[in-house]
Amino acid sequence: MNAPQDSAQLLPQIAPRPVPQPLIDALSARFGAQCSTALAVREQHGRDESPFTTVPPPAAVVFAESTRDVADAVRLASEHAVPVIPWGVGSSLEGHVLAVQGGISIDVGRMDRVLSVNADDLTVTVQPGITRKALNDAVKDTGLFFPIDPGADASIGGMTATRASGTNAVRYGTMRENVLALEVVTASGEVIRTGTHARKSSAGYDLTRLMVGSEGTLGIFTEITVRLYPLPEAVSAAICSFPSVEAAVRTVIQTIQLGVPIARVELIDANSVRGVNRHSKLNLREAPLLLMEFHGSPAGVKEQAETVQEIASEHGGADFEWADTPEERTRLWTARHNAYFAAVQSRPGCRCITTDTCVPISRLADALLDSVAEADASGISYFLVGHVGDGNFHMGYLIDPDDPQERALAEQLNHQLVRRALRLGGTCTGEHGVGVHKMDFLAEEAGAGAIEMMRAIKRALDPKNILNPGKIFLL
C-alpha cells in the first residue's frame, strides 16, 4: 500500500473558508481584550500533539469566560457562516483542534470553575476548562475522586468531547459512563441542557450520549456534570517485569477473564522503560512490565494482589515491587504518565506519530504481538504503552519530521495496526478520537450507512457546518 508522504497529504483537501473582516470587527467590539488576532496566539491555537504541522492557524481566538461568551461568539460566527473550533488545553492527538477549514478558535480554558459539588449524590458540575487534576484537588476534602485519567492533564471539556478513558477505565469506565448532564451551546448560539443529575433516565433521546464523543462537531460544552467515586479504603500498586510482551499480555488476559476487579493495569514495553528510567531517574528492570493498582478493602486488595501475582508467576513474571504509600504510587504513575515525553526526549528533534486501538480482550495478544513484530522489523524507533485491561494499547512511532520516508513508514505501520484491530472485531480508536487522522478508518469500521446517519445528524444540528468542520467525516 502507498502510505502518505507528509502530514499535509493526510488532511482533507478543502479550501479554508474566508473569515470576513466584519466578523473580526464584531468579535473585537464584543470581547475587547478577550479576542486576539496576534499571530503567536493564533499559532498556539492552531496546533496540538498530532503529526500535522502545516495547517494555517485560526483567524482569531476568543477567550470565553462564561456561557454567554461562548453563545455570543458562536452566534456571530453563524451569521457569517464561519467555522468555530473549541479549544481546551491542546493535548489532543488526532488533529481535533486544527483549523482545517479556517475559522476562529474559542478557548474555554478560563472557564475552569467547580460550580457545585453534591457529595451525597456523588456528582460534581464543572466548567469545561477545568483539568482533571484541578478537579480532583477541588474535591479531595470530600473523600471522593474523579477516576478518568487519560494520562495528560486534559480539560474535562476535551475529555468529554473525545469520550476519553485512560488508566482507570478497566474499573471505572470511560467518559461515556461518567457524564450525566451537559450544558451545550448549539450551532445557532442557543444554550440547551441535556441529562439530569439522576443516575438513569428513560426520557426521550439520550442527547448527552450523542454529545459525548462528538469532538466539538455538534455543540460546545459550557457545563458538565460527572460522577464521583468514594476514595478506596485501601490502595496498593505493584510492578512486575516479564521475559516478553507476550508473557505480560497473557497475564492480563487471564486476570481479566478470571474477573479480578483490578483498578489499573498498564503495559509498558522495554523501549518505554528505558526512556522512563532516564527521564524519571528510576532503575526499573529494562524489560516489558505491568504496572498494576488494586482498590478496595484491605482484605480485598490483598486477595486481588495475591491472585494476580500467582498468575504473573505462571507466565514468568518476576521482580514484583510493591508501592503501598501514596508517595511511592505517585512516583510510579508519574513515570508512566511521562512515558510519552520520555520517548520523545530519547530522540531529540523527533515528532511522534501516536495511534491507539482497542480490541476484545480475547484478541489482545493477536493484535498487539503482530503490531510489535511489524514495528521491530521496520527498524523505526517506537514505544508501546497500553491500558491493556480493557484491550486498549498505544504505539508511538518516533520520526524525523523532515524525512518523508520515515513519516511514510510510520503511517504504513499505523494503517496495518488499525486494520488488524478492525479485522479482530475492535475499533480504530479506543480513546484518542477520530479527528482528521482516522476519518478513513472510521468509514471502514462503521460502514457507509452509519456514516451517512452521522452526517444526517450533523446536518440537522449544524446546517451551516460551522462546528469544528472537517473532523470525524466530511459533509
Side-chain angles (χ1 to χ4, degrees), residues 357-368 388 390-393 417-418 420-427 430:
T357 58
C358 188
V359 296
I361 193 70
S362 63
R363 309 309 301 271
L364 178 62
D366 298 328
L368 197 154
V388 286
D390 55 5
N392 183 204
F393 66 93
L417 182 156
V418 174
R420 176 175 298 109
L422 296 181
R423 288 195 304 271
L424 296 173
T427 178

Side-chain angles (χ1 to χ4, degrees), residues 47-66:
R47 61 176 181 263
D48 57 11
E49 295 298 325
S50 72
F52 307 110
T53 58
T54 58
V55 186
V61 178
V62 173
F63 293 90
E65 298 178 357
S66 66

Side-chain angles (χ1 to χ4, degrees), residues 119-130:
D120 291 339
D121 289 331
L122 306 180
T123 66
V124 61
T125 299
V126 300
Q127 292 182 308
I130 192 170

Side-chain angles (χ1 to χ4, degrees), residues 113-390:
R113 292 188 296 124
V114 173
L115 300 175
S116 65
V117 179
N118 193 324
D120 291 339
D121 289 331
L122 306 180
T123 66
V124 61
T125 299
V126 300
Q127 292 182 308
I130 192 170
T131 65
R132 65 174 184 86
K133 289 182 180 179
L135 171 55
N136 274 318
D137 284 342
V139 302
K140 63 183 179 182
D141 291 339
T142 67
L144 304 173
F145 81 116
F146 179 65
I148 310 305
D149 176 7
D153 191 20
S155 68
I156 299 300
M159 291 168 61
T160 303
T162 57
R163 200 159 58 231
S165 55
T167 61
N168 278 317
V170 65
R171 176 74 173 263
Y172 298 98
T174 72
M175 291 299 285
R176 180 184 64 188
E177 292 81 30
N178 286 284
V179 175
L180 293 172
L182 297 167
E183 181 182 80
V184 183
V185 173
T186 70
S188 65
E190 181 184 2
V191 180
I192 67 166
R193 290 184 177 273
T194 75
T196 70
H197 289 218
R199 287 298 176 117
K200 62 181 181 179
S201 172
S202 297
Y205 294 161
D206 192 344
L207 297 180
T208 302
R209 296 296 168 274
L210 176 63
M211 291 291 173
V212 174
S214 60
E215 301 185 14
T217 63
L218 299 180
I220 300 178
F221 309 136
T222 51
E223 290 184 14
I224 304 163
T225 299
V226 297
R227 300 174 188 260
L228 297 177
Y229 294 80
L231 286 165
E233 182 183 359
V235 178
S236 182
I239 58 172
C240 179
S241 297
F242 290 85
S244 66
V245 168
E246 180 175 9
V249 171
R250 299 293 180 191
T251 297
V252 172
I253 293 172
Q254 190 172 344
T255 298
I256 300 304
Q257 290 178 338
L258 284 175
V260 179
I262 194 167
R264 289 170 156 177
V265 55
E266 292 285 297
L267 170 65
I268 308 175
D269 77 336
N271 295 331
S272 298
V273 175
R274 279 191 289 272
V276 162
N277 277 343
R278 287 192 294 270
H279 183 273
S280 299
K281 306 295 189 295
L282 300 179
N283 58 354
L284 301 173
R285 180 180 174 185
E286 294 186 352
L289 66 79
L290 294 178
L291 173 54
M292 299 164 282
E293 191 166 282
F294 309 93
H295 294 179
S297 67
V301 164
K302 183 175 183 293
E303 181 181 2
Q304 294 171 41
E306 289 175 349
T307 299
V308 174
Q309 186 168 5
E310 182 177 341
I311 296 170
S313 297
E314 294 174 1
H315 294 280
D319 298 337
F320 254 87
E321 178 183 334
W322 296 97
D324 295 318
T325 68
E327 294 77 16
E328 291 172 326
R329 293 195 301 273
T330 298
R331 176 179 66 93
L332 290 177
W333 284 109
T334 298
R336 159 61 185 93
H337 289 331
N338 287 336
Y340 173 86
F341 304 105
V344 170
Q345 288 181 6
S346 72
R347 187 179 181 186
C350 75
R351 189 79 176 178
C352 183
I353 295 181
T354 53
T355 190
D356 81 310
T357 58
C358 188
V359 296
I361 193 70
S362 63
R363 309 309 301 271
L364 178 62
D366 298 328
L368 197 154
L369 297 176
D370 286 348
S371 298
V372 167
E374 288 174 347
D376 284 338
S378 75
I380 200 168
S381 298
Y382 76 94
F383 67 97
L384 163 69
V385 293
H387 322 313
V388 286
D390 55 5

